[in-house]
Amino acid sequence: MLRFSVFLFLVVLMPSTGKRQRCLRGAGHKLRPTQEKYLQECTLYAESACCYADITEELAHSPVIKVHTTFWNRCGNLSPACETYMKKIECFYRCSPYIAQWAHPKQAAAISSVPICQRFCDNWYEACKSDHTCVSNWLTDWEIDDKRENHCKNECIPISEMYASGTDMCEKMWGDSLKVSRSPGLCFEMDEMDPKIFKILSDRYSSSSRFRSSSSSSSSSSSSSSILVWHQLCQ
């Protein structure tokens, strides 16, 4: 579900990013984001969505029982506060028009190292710490049956025991999909500020790219520098 290559981001993210938006491949995503008037959940992305309305039907009810073939209640229904944050993550992954900039080069429906704000992670952890889970990585640690449905391998424990902190939870629950950033204004909180944050990141990358182009002496050193600068921009 969530993994991505910094290198691919550097190749795709150019000054004209807004004109070249695309969606993840697979997992019910559209080819390109379009307006979606009838979202039952994830309405933050209604004006430019990579998901179809039917994808949000399972998220529109509370408590959420399952999304596609993944059950959310293997350790009991999530508390309303925790469920709210889980929905934010699910909506961001399925519907955000920006998510494909962190697409995995080998896994069509996966992302990696999306910059997520420290504050968001801390608040998410606080909301969920009393809820229970039986897996650390919700992408890989389940036992999967013939119907592709998930089951616990181990006993359920409080989230506060599974993860040490908000940072620990953000960087483990969805594998390497998310990367915690301590720089406000350079990270996502899955809210109405996302378009502005994405533009800031795009503009900063474009400026850094032009500077490197004028000062770089070889293509190999330029490539290494690009990766380093992008990591610095998202810190």
Side-chain angles (χ1 to χ4, degrees), residues 22-57 59 67 87-100:
R22 61 186 180 83
C23 300
L24 291 176
R25 297 176 183 175
H29 291 87
K30 300 175 182 176
L31 180 63
R32 296 188 183 281
T34 60
Q35 186 179 53
E36 197 65 46
K37 296 181 179 179
Y38 303 108
L39 294 178
Q40 296 186 44
E41 192 68 47
C42 312
T43 54
L44 178 66
Y45 307 104
E47 292 303 313
S48 181
C50 277
C51 61
Y52 295 99
D54 60 345
I55 293 293
T56 67
E57 290 178 4
L59 292 171
V67 177
K87 284 184 177 183
K88 284 178 179 287
I89 296 293
E90 194 73 26
C91 287
F92 183 74
Y93 165 68
R94 293 185 177 276
C95 301
S96 172
Y98 314 114
I99 199 75

mmCIF file of all heavy atoms in Angstrom, residues 22-57 59 67 87-100:
data_model
loop_
_atom_site.group_PDB
_atom_site.id
_atom_site.type_symbol
_atom_site.label_atom_id
_atom_site.label_comp_id
_atom_site.label_asym_id
_atom_site.label_seq_id
_atom_site.Cartn_x
_atom_site.Cartn_y
_atom_site.Cartn_z
ATOM 1 N N ARG A 22 -0.541 12.715 -11.722
ATOM 2 C CA ARG A 22 -1.005 11.380 -12.039
ATOM 3 C C ARG A 22 -1.310 10.675 -10.735
ATOM 4 O O ARG A 22 -1.051 11.196 -9.658
ATOM 5 C CB ARG A 22 0.066 10.605 -12.820
ATOM 6 C CG ARG A 22 1.373 10.422 -12.065
ATOM 7 C CD ARG A 22 2.443 9.779 -12.929
ATOM 8 N NE ARG A 22 3.693 9.602 -12.194
ATOM 9 C CZ ARG A 22 3.947 8.594 -11.391
ATOM 10 N NH1 ARG A 22 3.020 7.654 -11.205
ATOM 11 N NH2 ARG A 22 5.098 8.493 -10.760
ATOM 12 N N CYS A 23 -1.879 9.498 -10.834
ATOM 13 C CA CYS A 23 -2.236 8.725 -9.647
ATOM 14 C C CYS A 23 -1.401 7.454 -9.575
ATOM 15 O O CYS A 23 -0.726 7.083 -10.541
ATOM 16 C CB CYS A 23 -3.719 8.365 -9.693
ATOM 17 S SG CYS A 23 -4.828 9.807 -9.733
ATOM 18 N N LEU A 24 -1.453 6.797 -8.434
ATOM 19 C CA LEU A 24 -0.793 5.508 -8.299
ATOM 20 C C LEU A 24 -1.421 4.524 -9.274
ATOM 21 O O LEU A 24 -2.572 4.669 -9.677
ATOM 22 C CB LEU A 24 -0.964 4.960 -6.876
ATOM 23 C CG LEU A 24 -0.235 5.685 -5.753
ATOM 24 C CD1 LEU A 24 -0.620 5.041 -4.421
ATOM 25 C CD2 LEU A 24 1.270 5.634 -5.947
ATOM 26 N N ARG A 25 -0.670 3.514 -9.627
ATOM 27 C CA ARG A 25 -1.198 2.486 -10.516
ATOM 28 C C ARG A 25 -1.698 1.312 -9.683
ATOM 29 O O ARG A 25 -0.985 0.787 -8.850
ATOM 30 C CB ARG A 25 -0.114 2.018 -11.486
ATOM 31 C CG ARG A 25 0.374 3.129 -12.405
ATOM 32 C CD ARG A 25 1.513 2.664 -13.272
ATOM 33 N NE ARG A 25 2.031 3.748 -14.093
ATOM 34 C CZ ARG A 25 3.092 3.640 -14.882
ATOM 35 N NH1 ARG A 25 3.758 2.489 -14.947
ATOM 36 N NH2 ARG A 25 3.489 4.676 -15.601
ATOM 37 N N GLY A 26 -2.929 0.922 -9.911
ATOM 38 C CA GLY A 26 -3.476 -0.198 -9.164
ATOM 39 C C GLY A 26 -4.258 0.265 -7.951
ATOM 40 O O GLY A 26 -4.444 1.467 -7.705
ATOM 41 N N ALA A 27 -4.759 -0.700 -7.184
ATOM 42 C CA ALA A 27 -5.485 -0.456 -5.930
ATOM 43 C C ALA A 27 -6.693 0.456 -6.103
ATOM 44 O O ALA A 27 -7.064 1.195 -5.203
ATOM 45 C CB ALA A 27 -4.537 0.118 -4.882
ATOM 46 N N GLY A 28 -7.315 0.428 -7.286
ATOM 47 C CA GLY A 28 -8.516 1.228 -7.503
ATOM 48 C C GLY A 28 -8.275 2.689 -7.780
ATOM 49 O O GLY A 28 -9.219 3.481 -7.792
ATOM 50 N N HIS A 29 -7.023 3.083 -8.020
ATOM 51 C CA HIS A 29 -6.734 4.478 -8.316
ATOM 52 C C HIS A 29 -7.064 4.810 -9.773
ATOM 53 O O HIS A 29 -6.967 3.968 -10.655
ATOM 54 C CB HIS A 29 -5.250 4.784 -8.072
ATOM 55 C CG HIS A 29 -4.857 4.741 -6.639
ATOM 56 N ND1 HIS A 29 -4.464 3.582 -6.014
ATOM 57 C CD2 HIS A 29 -4.782 5.706 -5.705
ATOM 58 C CE1 HIS A 29 -4.165 3.842 -4.754
ATOM 59 N NE2 HIS A 29 -4.357 5.121 -4.536
ATOM 60 N N LYS A 30 -7.419 6.077 -10.001
ATOM 61 C CA LYS A 30 -7.617 6.550 -11.367
ATOM 62 C C LYS A 30 -6.261 6.723 -12.055
ATOM 63 O O LYS A 30 -5.215 6.687 -11.408
ATOM 64 C CB LYS A 30 -8.325 7.907 -11.342
ATOM 65 C CG LYS A 30 -9.697 7.925 -10.696
ATOM 66 C CD LYS A 30 -10.227 9.360 -10.631
ATOM 67 C CE LYS A 30 -11.559 9.457 -9.950
ATOM 68 N NZ LYS A 30 -12.023 10.862 -9.811
ATOM 69 N N LEU A 31 -6.309 6.950 -13.371
ATOM 70 C CA LEU A 31 -5.084 7.242 -14.102
ATOM 71 C C LEU A 31 -4.572 8.625 -13.718
ATOM 72 O O LEU A 31 -3.379 8.824 -13.459
ATOM 73 C CB LEU A 31 -5.324 7.174 -15.610
ATOM 74 C CG LEU A 31 -4.103 7.456 -16.494
ATOM 75 C CD1 LEU A 31 -3.017 6.407 -16.263
ATOM 76 C CD2 LEU A 31 -4.512 7.480 -17.972
ATOM 77 N N ARG A 32 -5.495 9.597 -13.654
ATOM 78 C CA ARG A 32 -5.167 10.963 -13.246
ATOM 79 C C ARG A 32 -6.278 11.489 -12.339
ATOM 80 O O ARG A 32 -7.428 11.096 -12.466
ATOM 81 C CB ARG A 32 -5.013 11.879 -14.473
ATOM 82 C CG ARG A 32 -3.845 11.490 -15.369
ATOM 83 C CD ARG A 32 -3.598 12.510 -16.470
ATOM 84 N NE ARG A 32 -2.520 12.071 -17.341
ATOM 85 C CZ ARG A 32 -1.237 12.177 -17.061
ATOM 86 N NH1 ARG A 32 -0.880 12.717 -15.897
ATOM 87 N NH2 ARG A 32 -0.308 11.750 -17.890
ATOM 88 N N PRO A 33 -5.957 12.409 -11.430
ATOM 89 C CA PRO A 33 -6.981 12.936 -10.526
ATOM 90 C C PRO A 33 -8.016 13.782 -11.247
ATOM 91 O O PRO A 33 -7.680 14.564 -12.132
ATOM 92 C CB PRO A 33 -6.170 13.784 -9.533
ATOM 93 C CG PRO A 33 -4.917 14.151 -10.270
ATOM 94 C CD PRO A 33 -4.612 12.986 -11.159
ATOM 95 N N THR A 34 -9.271 13.590 -10.879
ATOM 96 C CA THR A 34 -10.377 14.376 -11.427
ATOM 97 C C THR A 34 -11.352 14.705 -10.298
ATOM 98 O O THR A 34 -11.267 14.148 -9.202
ATOM 99 C CB THR A 34 -11.131 13.598 -12.525
ATOM 100 O OG1 THR A 34 -11.651 12.382 -11.960
ATOM 101 C CG2 THR A 34 -10.216 13.277 -13.698
ATOM 102 N N GLN A 35 -12.265 15.594 -10.571
ATOM 103 C CA GLN A 35 -13.280 15.937 -9.571
ATOM 104 C C GLN A 35 -14.139 14.715 -9.273
ATOM 105 O O GLN A 35 -14.482 13.942 -10.163
ATOM 106 C CB GLN A 35 -14.149 17.079 -10.092
ATOM 107 C CG GLN A 35 -15.131 17.610 -9.062
ATOM 108 C CD GLN A 35 -15.963 18.765 -9.606
ATOM 109 O OE1 GLN A 35 -16.589 18.652 -10.667
ATOM 110 N NE2 GLN A 35 -15.966 19.877 -8.894
ATOM 111 N N GLU A 36 -14.483 14.530 -8.026
ATOM 112 C CA GLU A 36 -15.312 13.397 -7.605
ATOM 113 C C GLU A 36 -16.370 13.938 -6.640
ATOM 114 O O GLU A 36 -16.126 14.130 -5.449
ATOM 115 C CB GLU A 36 -14.447 12.337 -6.919
ATOM 116 C CG GLU A 36 -15.105 10.989 -6.804
ATOM 117 C CD GLU A 36 -15.362 10.317 -8.145
ATOM 118 O OE1 GLU A 36 -14.462 10.307 -9.008
ATOM 119 O OE2 GLU A 36 -16.491 9.805 -8.326
ATOM 120 N N LYS A 37 -17.564 14.204 -7.162
ATOM 121 C CA LYS A 37 -18.602 14.900 -6.399
ATOM 122 C C LYS A 37 -19.272 14.040 -5.340
ATOM 123 O O LYS A 37 -19.844 14.569 -4.384
ATOM 124 C CB LYS A 37 -19.674 15.432 -7.356
ATOM 125 C CG LYS A 37 -19.192 16.484 -8.336
ATOM 126 C CD LYS A 37 -20.337 16.961 -9.213
ATOM 127 C CE LYS A 37 -19.889 18.029 -10.196
ATOM 128 N NZ LYS A 37 -21.005 18.479 -11.062
ATOM 129 N N TYR A 38 -19.237 12.724 -5.489
ATOM 130 C CA TYR A 38 -20.067 11.877 -4.640
ATOM 131 C C TYR A 38 -19.277 11.031 -3.647
ATOM 132 O O TYR A 38 -19.690 9.933 -3.285
ATOM 133 C CB TYR A 38 -20.939 10.984 -5.530
ATOM 134 C CG TYR A 38 -21.791 11.787 -6.489
ATOM 135 C CD1 TYR A 38 -21.494 11.807 -7.844
ATOM 136 C CD2 TYR A 38 -22.854 12.551 -6.023
ATOM 137 C CE1 TYR A 38 -22.251 12.571 -8.722
ATOM 138 C CE2 TYR A 38 -23.623 13.315 -6.892
ATOM 139 C CZ TYR A 38 -23.312 13.321 -8.243
ATOM 140 O OH TYR A 38 -24.069 14.084 -9.102
ATOM 141 N N LEU A 39 -18.168 11.543 -3.174
ATOM 142 C CA LEU A 39 -17.405 10.837 -2.152
ATOM 143 C C LEU A 39 -18.219 10.777 -0.859
ATOM 144 O O LEU A 39 -18.729 11.789 -0.387
ATOM 145 C CB LEU A 39 -16.078 11.553 -1.881
ATOM 146 C CG LEU A 39 -15.040 11.576 -3.012
ATOM 147 C CD1 LEU A 39 -13.821 12.375 -2.572
ATOM 148 C CD2 LEU A 39 -14.640 10.166 -3.409
ATOM 149 N N GLN A 40 -18.300 9.604 -0.263
ATOM 150 C CA GLN A 40 -19.012 9.458 1.006
ATOM 151 C C GLN A 40 -18.087 9.716 2.189
ATOM 152 O O GLN A 40 -18.524 9.964 3.299
ATOM 153 C CB GLN A 40 -19.620 8.055 1.105
ATOM 154 C CG GLN A 40 -20.680 7.791 0.054
ATOM 155 C CD GLN A 40 -21.378 6.471 0.259
ATOM 156 O OE1 GLN A 40 -21.746 6.108 1.370
ATOM 157 N NE2 GLN A 40 -21.545 5.714 -0.821
ATOM 158 N N GLU A 41 -16.813 9.635 1.934
ATOM 159 C CA GLU A 41 -15.766 9.937 2.915
ATOM 160 C C GLU A 41 -14.621 10.545 2.115
ATOM 161 O O GLU A 41 -14.685 10.610 0.894
ATOM 162 C CB GLU A 41 -15.347 8.660 3.646
ATOM 163 C CG GLU A 41 -14.474 8.849 4.878
ATOM 164 C CD GLU A 41 -15.214 9.525 6.021
ATOM 165 O OE1 GLU A 41 -16.348 9.132 6.354
ATOM 166 O OE2 GLU A 41 -14.637 10.474 6.599
ATOM 167 N N CYS A 42 -13.588 11.026 2.768
ATOM 168 C CA CYS A 42 -12.431 11.596 2.066
ATOM 169 C C CYS A 42 -12.807 12.830 1.242
ATOM 170 O O CYS A 42 -12.207 13.105 0.192
ATOM 171 C CB CYS A 42 -11.773 10.564 1.147
ATOM 172 S SG CYS A 42 -11.457 8.957 1.889
ATOM 173 N N THR A 43 -13.791 13.580 1.694
ATOM 174 C CA THR A 43 -14.284 14.724 0.926
ATOM 175 C C THR A 43 -13.247 15.835 0.771
ATOM 176 O O THR A 43 -13.433 16.733 -0.060
ATOM 177 C CB THR A 43 -15.548 15.297 1.583
ATOM 178 O OG1 THR A 43 -15.280 15.591 2.971
ATOM 179 C CG2 THR A 43 -16.691 14.297 1.520
ATOM 180 N N LEU A 44 -12.185 15.787 1.538
ATOM 181 C CA LEU A 44 -11.091 16.752 1.385
ATOM 182 C C LEU A 44 -10.562 16.756 -0.044
ATOM 183 O O LEU A 44 -10.067 17.773 -0.537
ATOM 184 C CB LEU A 44 -9.966 16.392 2.364
ATOM 185 C CG LEU A 44 -8.694 17.249 2.333
ATOM 186 C CD1 LEU A 44 -8.998 18.676 2.777
ATOM 187 C CD2 LEU A 44 -7.627 16.630 3.234
ATOM 188 N N TYR A 45 -10.689 15.609 -0.727
ATOM 189 C CA TYR A 45 -10.111 15.451 -2.066
ATOM 190 C C TYR A 45 -11.163 15.505 -3.176
ATOM 191 O O TYR A 45 -10.870 15.128 -4.319
ATOM 192 C CB TYR A 45 -9.347 14.130 -2.133
ATOM 193 C CG TYR A 45 -8.336 13.992 -1.019
ATOM 194 C CD1 TYR A 45 -8.593 13.172 0.076
ATOM 195 C CD2 TYR A 45 -7.148 14.721 -1.034
ATOM 196 C CE1 TYR A 45 -7.668 13.064 1.121
ATOM 197 C CE2 TYR A 45 -6.223 14.620 -0.002
ATOM 198 C CZ TYR A 45 -6.490 13.790 1.071
ATOM 199 O OH TYR A 45 -5.590 13.693 2.101
ATOM 200 N N ALA A 46 -12.351 15.986 -2.880
ATOM 201 C CA ALA A 46 -13.443 15.967 -3.854
ATOM 202 C C ALA A 46 -13.131 16.737 -5.135
ATOM 203 O O ALA A 46 -13.550 16.352 -6.225
ATOM 204 C CB ALA A 46 -14.728 16.514 -3.221
ATOM 205 N N GLU A 47 -12.387 17.837 -5.034
ATOM 206 C CA GLU A 47 -12.093 18.657 -6.208
ATOM 207 C C GLU A 47 -11.029 18.036 -7.108
ATOM 208 O O GLU A 47 -10.972 18.323 -8.297
ATOM 209 C CB GLU A 47 -11.642 20.051 -5.771
ATOM 210 C CG GLU A 47 -12.742 20.875 -5.111
ATOM 211 C CD GLU A 47 -13.953 21.040 -6.014
ATOM 212 O OE1 GLU A 47 -13.766 21.366 -7.200
ATOM 213 O OE2 GLU A 47 -15.082 20.822 -5.542
ATOM 214 N N SER A 48 -10.190 17.194 -6.544
ATOM 215 C CA SER A 48 -9.132 16.543 -7.326
ATOM 216 C C SER A 48 -8.774 15.237 -6.634
ATOM 217 O O SER A 48 -7.923 15.197 -5.747
ATOM 218 C CB SER A 48 -7.899 17.450 -7.425
ATOM 219 O OG SER A 48 -6.879 16.855 -8.204
ATOM 220 N N ALA A 49 -9.434 14.160 -7.056
ATOM 221 C CA ALA A 49 -9.309 12.879 -6.361
ATOM 222 C C ALA A 49 -8.735 11.788 -7.263
ATOM 223 O O ALA A 49 -9.084 11.690 -8.435
ATOM 224 C CB ALA A 49 -10.670 12.435 -5.840
ATOM 225 N N CYS A 50 -7.889 10.972 -6.678
ATOM 226 C CA CYS A 50 -7.358 9.809 -7.387
ATOM 227 C C CYS A 50 -8.202 8.564 -7.117
ATOM 228 O O CYS A 50 -7.914 7.495 -7.641
ATOM 229 C CB CYS A 50 -5.909 9.539 -6.963
ATOM 230 S SG CYS A 50 -4.707 10.559 -7.851
ATOM 231 N N CYS A 51 -9.239 8.710 -6.294
ATOM 232 C CA CYS A 51 -10.111 7.580 -5.979
ATOM 233 C C CYS A 51 -11.494 7.784 -6.590
ATOM 234 O O CYS A 51 -11.891 8.907 -6.915
ATOM 235 C CB CYS A 51 -10.239 7.427 -4.459
ATOM 236 S SG CYS A 51 -10.957 8.878 -3.628
ATOM 237 N N TYR A 52 -12.217 6.682 -6.736
ATOM 238 C CA TYR A 52 -13.608 6.733 -7.168
ATOM 239 C C TYR A 52 -14.504 6.744 -5.932
ATOM 240 O O TYR A 52 -14.096 6.330 -4.843
ATOM 241 C CB TYR A 52 -13.938 5.522 -8.040
ATOM 242 C CG TYR A 52 -13.194 5.489 -9.347
ATOM 243 C CD1 TYR A 52 -12.054 4.706 -9.483
ATOM 244 C CD2 TYR A 52 -13.635 6.238 -10.441
ATOM 245 C CE1 TYR A 52 -11.352 4.671 -10.689
ATOM 246 C CE2 TYR A 52 -12.944 6.204 -11.651
ATOM 247 C CZ TYR A 52 -11.805 5.416 -11.768
ATOM 248 O OH TYR A 52 -11.112 5.388 -12.956
ATOM 249 N N ALA A 53 -15.719 7.202 -6.091
ATOM 250 C CA ALA A 53 -16.635 7.332 -4.957
ATOM 251 C C ALA A 53 -16.880 6.004 -4.244
ATOM 252 O O ALA A 53 -16.990 5.963 -3.013
ATOM 253 C CB ALA A 53 -17.956 7.927 -5.425
ATOM 254 N N ASP A 54 -16.950 4.910 -4.995
ATOM 255 C CA ASP A 54 -17.274 3.629 -4.367
ATOM 256 C C ASP A 54 -16.183 3.149 -3.408
ATOM 257 O O ASP A 54 -16.456 2.391 -2.472
ATOM 258 C CB ASP A 54 -17.559 2.556 -5.422
ATOM 259 C CG ASP A 54 -16.368 2.304 -6.340
ATOM 260 O OD1 ASP A 54 -15.433 3.134 -6.356
ATOM 261 O OD2 ASP A 54 -16.380 1.282 -7.047
ATOM 262 N N ILE A 55 -14.946 3.623 -3.609
ATOM 263 C CA ILE A 55 -13.846 3.239 -2.729
ATOM 264 C C ILE A 55 -14.097 3.735 -1.302
ATOM 265 O O ILE A 55 -13.656 3.137 -0.329
ATOM 266 C CB ILE A 55 -12.507 3.812 -3.245
ATOM 267 C CG1 ILE A 55 -12.117 3.144 -4.563
ATOM 268 C CG2 ILE A 55 -11.395 3.657 -2.234
ATOM 269 C CD1 ILE A 55 -11.769 1.686 -4.446
ATOM 270 N N THR A 56 -14.824 4.834 -1.176
ATOM 271 C CA THR A 56 -15.021 5.455 0.138
ATOM 272 C C THR A 56 -16.242 4.916 0.884
ATOM 273 O O THR A 56 -16.476 5.292 2.041
ATOM 274 C CB THR A 56 -15.153 6.980 0.007
ATOM 275 O OG1 THR A 56 -16.373 7.297 -0.700
ATOM 276 C CG2 THR A 56 -13.972 7.569 -0.755
ATOM 277 N N GLU A 57 -17.016 4.030 0.268
ATOM 278 C CA GLU A 57 -18.229 3.530 0.906
ATOM 279 C C GLU A 57 -17.932 2.812 2.217
ATOM 280 O O GLU A 57 -18.652 2.990 3.217
ATOM 281 C CB GLU A 57 -18.980 2.598 -0.046
ATOM 282 C CG GLU A 57 -19.605 3.320 -1.233
ATOM 283 C CD GLU A 57 -20.303 2.368 -2.190
ATOM 284 O OE1 GLU A 57 -20.353 1.148 -1.872
ATOM 285 O OE2 GLU A 57 -20.796 2.819 -3.233
ATOM 286 N N LEU A 59 -15.490 3.304 4.175
ATOM 287 C CA LEU A 59 -14.970 4.242 5.169
ATOM 288 C C LEU A 59 -16.050 5.157 5.733
ATOM 289 O O LEU A 59 -15.829 5.834 6.744
ATOM 290 C CB LEU A 59 -13.873 5.111 4.542
ATOM 291 C CG LEU A 59 -12.576 4.420 4.158
ATOM 292 C CD1 LEU A 59 -11.695 5.370 3.359
ATOM 293 C CD2 LEU A 59 -11.835 3.930 5.396
ATOM 294 N N VAL A 67 -11.709 -2.510 5.023
ATOM 295 C CA VAL A 67 -11.511 -1.738 3.813
ATOM 296 C C VAL A 67 -10.934 -2.693 2.783
ATOM 297 O O VAL A 67 -9.835 -3.226 2.970
ATOM 298 C CB VAL A 67 -10.563 -0.548 4.047
ATOM 299 C CG1 VAL A 67 -10.332 0.195 2.742
ATOM 300 C CG2 VAL A 67 -11.133 0.393 5.101
ATOM 301 N N LYS A 87 -8.663 6.850 9.143
ATOM 302 C CA LYS A 87 -9.362 7.267 7.926
ATOM 303 C C LYS A 87 -8.556 8.322 7.173
ATOM 304 O O LYS A 87 -8.513 8.315 5.935
ATOM 305 C CB LYS A 87 -10.750 7.816 8.270
ATOM 306 C CG LYS A 87 -11.784 6.768 8.611
ATOM 307 C CD LYS A 87 -13.141 7.421 8.847
ATOM 308 C CE LYS A 87 -14.220 6.398 9.127
ATOM 309 N NZ LYS A 87 -15.558 7.031 9.290
ATOM 310 N N LYS A 88 -7.933 9.240 7.899
ATOM 311 C CA LYS A 88 -7.110 10.267 7.253
ATOM 312 C C LYS A 88 -5.999 9.620 6.428
ATOM 313 O O LYS A 88 -5.727 10.035 5.291
ATOM 314 C CB LYS A 88 -6.505 11.199 8.305
ATOM 315 C CG LYS A 88 -7.459 12.226 8.904
ATOM 316 C CD LYS A 88 -6.758 13.043 9.955
ATOM 317 C CE LYS A 88 -7.670 14.096 10.569
ATOM 318 N NZ LYS A 88 -7.921 15.220 9.645
ATOM 319 N N ILE A 89 -5.327 8.625 7.014
ATOM 320 C CA ILE A 89 -4.246 7.934 6.320
ATOM 321 C C ILE A 89 -4.788 7.198 5.095
ATOM 322 O O ILE A 89 -4.213 7.264 3.995
ATOM 323 C CB ILE A 89 -3.545 6.943 7.261
ATOM 324 C CG1 ILE A 89 -2.871 7.681 8.426
ATOM 325 C CG2 ILE A 89 -2.533 6.106 6.497
ATOM 326 C CD1 ILE A 89 -1.710 8.546 8.034
ATOM 327 N N GLU A 90 -5.894 6.489 5.278
ATOM 328 C CA GLU A 90 -6.484 5.717 4.181
ATOM 329 C C GLU A 90 -6.938 6.640 3.054
ATOM 330 O O GLU A 90 -6.705 6.359 1.870
ATOM 331 C CB GLU A 90 -7.655 4.889 4.698
ATOM 332 C CG GLU A 90 -8.122 3.813 3.745
ATOM 333 C CD GLU A 90 -7.169 2.627 3.657
ATOM 334 O OE1 GLU A 90 -6.426 2.379 4.627
ATOM 335 O OE2 GLU A 90 -7.172 1.948 2.608
ATOM 336 N N CYS A 91 -7.567 7.753 3.405
ATOM 337 C CA CYS A 91 -8.025 8.702 2.394
ATOM 338 C C CYS A 91 -6.850 9.326 1.648
ATOM 339 O O CYS A 91 -6.901 9.509 0.424
ATOM 340 C CB CYS A 91 -8.859 9.800 3.045
ATOM 341 S SG CYS A 91 -10.514 9.287 3.589
ATOM 342 N N PHE A 92 -5.815 9.679 2.384
ATOM 343 C CA PHE A 92 -4.629 10.272 1.766
ATOM 344 C C PHE A 92 -4.027 9.304 0.750
ATOM 345 O O PHE A 92 -3.708 9.682 -0.383
ATOM 346 C CB PHE A 92 -3.602 10.600 2.849
ATOM 347 C CG PHE A 92 -2.367 11.287 2.335
ATOM 348 C CD1 PHE A 92 -2.402 12.615 1.944
ATOM 349 C CD2 PHE A 92 -1.156 10.606 2.267
ATOM 350 C CE1 PHE A 92 -1.254 13.258 1.482
ATOM 351 C CE2 PHE A 92 -0.003 11.242 1.799
ATOM 352 C CZ PHE A 92 -0.055 12.570 1.408
ATOM 353 N N TYR A 93 -3.892 8.056 1.140
ATOM 354 C CA TYR A 93 -3.317 7.055 0.248
ATOM 355 C C TYR A 93 -4.194 6.804 -0.985
ATOM 356 O O TYR A 93 -3.709 6.738 -2.115
ATOM 357 C CB TYR A 93 -3.101 5.746 0.998
ATOM 358 C CG TYR A 93 -2.846 4.584 0.083
ATOM 359 C CD1 TYR A 93 -1.667 4.503 -0.669
ATOM 360 C CD2 TYR A 93 -3.810 3.583 -0.075
ATOM 361 C CE1 TYR A 93 -1.461 3.447 -1.547
ATOM 362 C CE2 TYR A 93 -3.594 2.528 -0.951
ATOM 363 C CZ TYR A 93 -2.424 2.467 -1.684
ATOM 364 O OH TYR A 93 -2.215 1.430 -2.555
ATOM 365 N N ARG A 94 -5.482 6.671 -0.772
ATOM 366 C CA ARG A 94 -6.372 6.303 -1.874
ATOM 367 C C ARG A 94 -6.774 7.485 -2.757
ATOM 368 O O ARG A 94 -6.980 7.314 -3.959
ATOM 369 C CB ARG A 94 -7.637 5.625 -1.336
ATOM 370 C CG ARG A 94 -7.357 4.276 -0.697
ATOM 371 C CD ARG A 94 -8.634 3.568 -0.285
ATOM 372 N NE ARG A 94 -8.341 2.243 0.251
ATOM 373 C CZ ARG A 94 -8.160 1.158 -0.500
ATOM 374 N NH1 ARG A 94 -8.253 1.238 -1.818
ATOM 375 N NH2 ARG A 94 -7.895 -0.013 0.064
ATOM 376 N N CYS A 95 -6.894 8.675 -2.183
ATOM 377 C CA CYS A 95 -7.505 9.789 -2.911
ATOM 378 C C CYS A 95 -6.611 10.980 -3.212
ATOM 379 O O CYS A 95 -6.910 11.757 -4.130
ATOM 380 C CB CYS A 95 -8.726 10.294 -2.135
ATOM 381 S SG CYS A 95 -9.996 9.047 -1.847
ATOM 382 N N SER A 96 -5.531 11.179 -2.461
ATOM 383 C CA SER A 96 -4.717 12.378 -2.651
ATOM 384 C C SER A 96 -4.152 12.472 -4.068
ATOM 385 O O SER A 96 -3.604 11.495 -4.585
ATOM 386 C CB SER A 96 -3.559 12.404 -1.650
ATOM 387 O OG SER A 96 -2.677 13.472 -1.949
ATOM 388 N N PRO A 97 -4.257 13.641 -4.694
ATOM 389 C CA PRO A 97 -3.697 13.822 -6.039
ATOM 390 C C PRO A 97 -2.181 14.004 -6.036
ATOM 391 O O PRO A 97 -1.575 14.109 -7.089
ATOM 392 C CB PRO A 97 -4.394 15.099 -6.532
ATOM 393 C CG PRO A 97 -4.639 15.881 -5.279
ATOM 394 C CD PRO A 97 -4.988 14.842 -4.228
ATOM 395 N N TYR A 98 -1.563 14.029 -4.844
ATOM 396 C CA TYR A 98 -0.119 14.247 -4.735
ATOM 397 C C TYR A 98 0.658 12.974 -4.424
ATOM 398 O O TYR A 98 1.870 12.931 -4.574
ATOM 399 C CB TYR A 98 0.171 15.278 -3.633
ATOM 400 C CG TYR A 98 -0.721 16.487 -3.714
ATOM 401 C CD1 TYR A 98 -1.650 16.756 -2.715
ATOM 402 C CD2 TYR A 98 -0.657 17.346 -4.816
ATOM 403 C CE1 TYR A 98 -2.496 17.854 -2.805
ATOM 404 C CE2 TYR A 98 -1.492 18.437 -4.905
ATOM 405 C CZ TYR A 98 -2.414 18.691 -3.903
ATOM 406 O OH TYR A 98 -3.246 19.773 -4.004
ATOM 407 N N ILE A 99 -0.042 11.932 -4.018
ATOM 408 C CA ILE A 99 0.605 10.744 -3.469
ATOM 409 C C ILE A 99 1.538 10.050 -4.460
ATOM 410 O O ILE A 99 2.545 9.460 -4.087
ATOM 411 C CB ILE A 99 -0.472 9.758 -2.950
ATOM 412 C CG1 ILE A 99 0.136 8.748 -1.970
ATOM 413 C CG2 ILE A 99 -1.192 9.067 -4.086
ATOM 414 C CD1 ILE A 99 0.431 9.309 -0.626
ATOM 415 N N ALA A 100 1.235 10.128 -5.757
ATOM 416 C CA ALA A 100 2.034 9.414 -6.756
ATOM 417 C C ALA A 100 3.445 9.954 -6.888
ATOM 418 O O ALA A 100 4.308 9.306 -7.484
ATOM 419 C CB ALA A 100 1.338 9.445 -8.119
#
